[in-house]
């Protein structure tokens, strides 16, 4: 392929919302350079924005590259994103380039003249009905299982003025949901603290919801609880990863709180905001997690009655402190523990979803369902609603009457009143 043939690109994103948001910046930058977004099979450049959080994610990327190599068009393959040194080395011989994401404007591509534009100054091409806004990058917490401090570096907060400007632009363009992103948003320090940032954004004129992830229990103050309670635009949804319900495991994970601290935090949150929807992250099979320790997690998990949870089987990642620990739980046992928690979750989320039947809820329409003529939306508590409607509604608020529920979501119909 000759250099002047770079006219189109495709971005394949793995991982979290932060990666989605980073891909939106690459897309915005490439668009500005005159390239057109196209399906991977028809693109001159394919960018893979990767995720190293689990070994399986890296394996999937490897498989993807091999598949892309078979495309007739022979696109230039660039791997970027959240990568450990070891994965970088592994993927290098397969891809054409493995490049740092924050230096997109200086990537060695013929149509780019090294501009060194700071990553957050690149324009955004948003890819969905939610305006994701990264307020910080990196992390200083060094949870012993996590690669983020190694792949994304130390914590850095974007100045509040910059964040607020980006939010205002999104609202002006009609976005109805703003989602602030950071690995540990409660330690945000971009000139103001996180509560103040939420309050400032809440003051922005417009009809929108304000969400944020991720919160760390150790930094989750009363100040934040009252801010969620008092700010009308901040949704009554909280994602608060607990990771384990056993104190010894929490210590080994380098999560500086106890199961009791977590219970107390949830109690305070629910006392102030009784209808808050609560979700969490849990890792099963961490090194040293005996049956008894796992039972402590299962007890906390069923006691708290979460609305939703993301349960992961422990996966050792190189460079992390936990990778030095001896793995004591077999894959089979991890699966068994995961299954036990999923069963608990099925019951708690069913109980949590039940009271919505017959209610009329405000829903943000997010995407089309595979079922023809049906759409998905999210409630303020981040519950998925399936209902009949036309795709012009995507990105808009509607009112839906909830007609049915299951553990994993709600069904409804558009209500005119
Ligand atoms: S808080 Fe812990 S789990 Fe979250 S990104 Fe930082 S090190 Fe990783």
């Amino acid at each position: 392929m000759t250099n002047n043939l770079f006219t189109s690109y495709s971005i394949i994103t793995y991982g979290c919302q932060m990666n989605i948001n980073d891909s939106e910046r690459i897309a915005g930058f490439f668009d500005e350079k005159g390239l057109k977004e196209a399906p991977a099979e028809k693109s001159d450049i394919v960018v893979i924005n990767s995720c190293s959080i689990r070994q399986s994610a890296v394996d999937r990327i490897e498989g993807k590259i091999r598949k892309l190599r078979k495309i007739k068009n022979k696109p230039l393959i660039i791997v970027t994103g959240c990568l450990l040194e070891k994965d970088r080395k592994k993927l290098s011989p397969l891809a054409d380039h493995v490049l740092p994401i924050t230096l997109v404007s200086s990537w060695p591509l013929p149509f780019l003249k090294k501009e060194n534009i700071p990553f957050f100054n690149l324009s955004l091409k948003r890819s969905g009905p939610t305006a994701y806004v990264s307020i910080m990058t990196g992390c200083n917490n060094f949870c012993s299982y996590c690669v983020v401090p190694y792949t994304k570096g130390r914590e850095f907060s974007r100045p509040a003025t910059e964040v607020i400007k980006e939010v205002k632009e999104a609202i002006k363009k009609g976005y109805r949901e703003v989602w602030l992103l950071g690995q540990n948003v409660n330690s945000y320090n971009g000139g103001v603290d996180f509560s103040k940032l939420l309050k400032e954004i809440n003051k922005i004129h417009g009809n929108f919801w304000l969400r944020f992830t991720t919160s760390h229990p150790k930094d989750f103050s009363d100040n934040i609880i009252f801010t969620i309670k008092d700010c009308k635009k901040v949704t009554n949804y909280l994602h608060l990863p607990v990771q384990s319900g056993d104190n010894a495991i929490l210590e080994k994970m380098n999560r500086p709180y106890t199961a009791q601290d977590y219970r107390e935090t949830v109690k305070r949150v629910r006392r102030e905001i009784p209808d808050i929807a609560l979700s969490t992250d849990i890792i099963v099979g961490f090194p040293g997690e005996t049956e008894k320790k796992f039972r402590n997690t299962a007890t906390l998990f069923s006691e708290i009655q979460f609305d939703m949870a993301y349960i992961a089987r422990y996966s050792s990642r190189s460079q992390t402190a936990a990778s030095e620990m001896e793995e004591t739980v077999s894959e089979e046992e991890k699966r068994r523990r995961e299954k036990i928690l999923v069963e608990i979750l099925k019951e708690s989320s069913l109980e949590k979803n039940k009271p919505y039947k017959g209610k009329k809820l405000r829903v943000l329409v997010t995407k089309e369902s595979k079922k023809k003529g049906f759409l998905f939306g999210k409630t303020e508590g981040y519950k998925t609603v399936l209902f009949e409607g036309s795709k012009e509604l995507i990105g808009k608020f509607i009112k839906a009457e909830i007609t049915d529920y299951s553990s994993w979501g709600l069904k409804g119909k558009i209500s005119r009143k």
Side-chain angles (χ1 to χ4, degrees), residues 101 110 259 290 293 396 414:
I101 195 158
T290 58
K293 288 178 167 49
K396 298 194 172 118
I414 296 180

Side-chain angles (χ1 to χ4, degrees), residues 2 94-95 126 162 215 219 226 275 299 330 348 359 374:
T2 59
L94 302 175
R126 298 203 180 275
E162 214 178 272
S215 295
D219 295 315
F226 285 107
D275 61 345
T299 304
S330 68
S348 68
K359 293 233 166 87
F374 281 75

Side-chain angles (χ1 to χ4, degrees), residues 139 141-143 145-146 148-149 183 216 255:
C139 186
N141 288 315
F142 289 92
C143 299
Y145 50 82
C146 180
V148 168
Q183 304 293 351
H216 194 306
R255 303 278 293 180

Side-chain angles (χ1 to χ4, degrees), residues 353-379:
N353 289 346
K354 200 187 219 170
Y356 291 107
K357 187 168 175 183
K359 293 233 166 87
K360 286 180 184 164
L361 303 178
R362 197 177 188 211
V363 171
L364 179 68
V365 185
T366 50
K367 58 180 182 186
E368 277 182 279
S369 151
K370 280 194 188 125
K371 191 170 167 190
K372 211 174 162 358
F374 281 75
L375 302 169
F376 284 118
K378 290 284 184 186
T379 67

Side-chain angles (χ1 to χ4, degrees), residues 181-339:
L181 300 174
Q183 304 293 351
N184 182 14
V185 289
N186 310 118
S187 67
Y188 174 79
N189 182 18
V192 299
D193 68 10
F194 186 57
S195 288
K196 179 81 175 146
L197 182 70
L198 288 177
K199 285 177 190 154
E200 288 300 315
I201 296 176
N202 186 62
K203 278 191 221 153
I204 297 172
H205 190 72
N207 181 15
F208 65 96
W209 278 339
L210 179 55
R211 300 189 193 275
F212 57 88
T213 43
T214 295
S215 295
H216 194 306
K218 80 175 164 67
D219 295 315
F220 201 77
S221 65
D222 281 353
N223 202 4
I224 304 271
I225 300 176
F226 285 107
T227 304
I228 301 173
K229 184 181 176 182
D230 297 340
C231 292
K232 261 190 86 185
K233 287 167 186 158
V234 178
T235 54
N236 59 0
Y237 165 65
L238 176 63
H239 182 65
L240 194 62
V242 64
Q243 306 298 9
S244 169
D246 181 83
N247 291 344
I249 294 294
L250 284 171
E251 207 181 320
K252 283 182 89 176
M253 287 177 162
N254 196 24
R255 303 278 293 180
Y257 54 88
T258 64
Q260 198 48 31
D261 294 337
Y262 188 90
R263 286 182 172 93
E264 293 294 327
T265 303
V266 169
K267 222 183 256 171
R268 284 185 282 124
V269 171
R270 284 185 169 152
R271 189 170 60 221
E272 295 306 325
I273 317 161
D275 61 345
I276 198 151
L278 195 64
S279 63
T280 199
D281 293 335
I282 296 216
I283 297 171
V284 292
F286 190 80
E289 189 188 66
T290 58
E291 176 64 20
K292 197 168 159 220
K293 288 178 167 49
F294 168 68
R295 283 285 148 203
N296 287 337
T297 297
T299 304
L300 176 136
F301 195 60
S302 79
E303 231 176 78
I304 291 199
Q305 296 277 293
F306 289 99
D307 289 80
M308 184 40 80
Y310 304 91
I311 302 158
R313 298 188 298 277
Y314 172 74
S315 146
S316 172
R317 307 302 292 119
S318 71
Q319 283 183 251
T320 62
S323 68
E324 308 283 311
M325 300 175 195
E326 192 195 341
E327 283 230 39
T328 55
V329 188
S330 68
E331 231 6 79
E332 195 189 346
E333 179 59 18
K334 284 179 198 168
R335 279 181 209 281
R336 188 188 71 90
R337 293 180 187 181
E338 178 188 31
K339 219 169 142 205

Side-chain angles (χ1 to χ4, degrees), residues 14-241:
Y14 292 91
C16 62
Q17 292 151 322
M18 290 187 94
N19 272 16
I20 296 173
N21 189 227
D22 287 350
S23 291
E24 291 175 339
R25 271 185 213 280
I26 303 174
F29 180 64
F30 277 11
D31 273 21
E32 258 177 17
K33 296 293 162 200
L35 272 71
K36 293 253 173 316
E37 197 163 359
E41 321 77 69
K42 294 188 178 152
S43 294
D44 300 328
I45 303 175
V46 177
V47 177
I48 300 180
N49 189 2
S50 48
C51 167
S52 274
I53 217 94
R54 296 176 68 77
Q55 186 55 45
S56 56
V58 181
D59 296 344
R60 267 168 53 215
I61 293 166
E62 212 184 313
K64 189 75 193 179
I65 300 176
R66 291 189 196 285
K67 244 190 186 164
L68 288 168
R69 284 286 177 225
K70 293 188 187 138
I71 297 178
K72 251 215 244 133
N73 210 28
K74 300 273 173 244
L76 187 85
I77 300 173
I78 300 173
V79 175
T80 188
C82 208
L83 278 173
L84 279 171
E85 198 42 47
K86 168 177 156 270
D87 301 325
R88 201 182 300 270
K89 281 196 186 135
K90 192 172 178 196
L91 298 174
S92 279
L94 302 175
D96 293 299
H97 296 284
V98 179
L99 299 167
I101 195 158
T102 49
L103 303 179
V104 178
S105 66
S106 337
W107 280 359
L109 303 174
F111 65 96
L112 297 179
K113 51 174 195 314
K114 299 197 172 190
E115 289 171 280
N116 294 324
I117 306 170
F119 189 65
F120 285 121
N121 290 6
L122 301 178
S123 11
L124 273 164
K125 181 186 177 188
R126 298 203 180 275
S127 53
T130 298
Y132 291 117
V133 178
S134 292
I135 63 168
M136 55 209 296
T137 58
C139 186
N140 295 346
N141 288 315
F142 289 92
C143 299
S144 64
Y145 50 82
C146 180
V147 294
V148 168
Y150 308 97
T151 58
K152 300 262 188 183
R154 295 303 92 80
E155 191 177 288
F156 162 77
S157 295
R158 290 176 74 195
T161 44
E162 214 178 272
V163 170
I164 291 168
K165 186 170 163 250
E166 200 172 301
V167 172
K168 281 185 176 161
E169 279 166 11
I171 302 303
K172 216 164 144 195
K173 284 188 182 149
Y175 284 89
R176 295 284 182 241
E177 182 169 74
V178 172
W179 199 313
L180 306 182
L181 300 174
Q183 304 293 351
N184 182 14
V185 289
N186 310 118
S187 67
Y188 174 79
N189 182 18
V192 299
D193 68 10
F194 186 57
S195 288
K196 179 81 175 146
L197 182 70
L198 288 177
K199 285 177 190 154
E200 288 300 315
I201 296 176
N202 186 62
K203 278 191 221 153
I204 297 172
H205 190 72
N207 181 15
F208 65 96
W209 278 339
L210 179 55
R211 300 189 193 275
F212 57 88
T213 43
T214 295
S215 295
H216 194 306
K218 80 175 164 67
D219 295 315
F220 201 77
S221 65
D222 281 353
N223 202 4
I224 304 271
I225 300 176
F226 285 107
T227 304
I228 301 173
K229 184 181 176 182
D230 297 340
C231 292
K232 261 190 86 185
K233 287 167 186 158
V234 178
T235 54
N236 59 0
Y237 165 65
L238 176 63
H239 182 65
L240 194 62

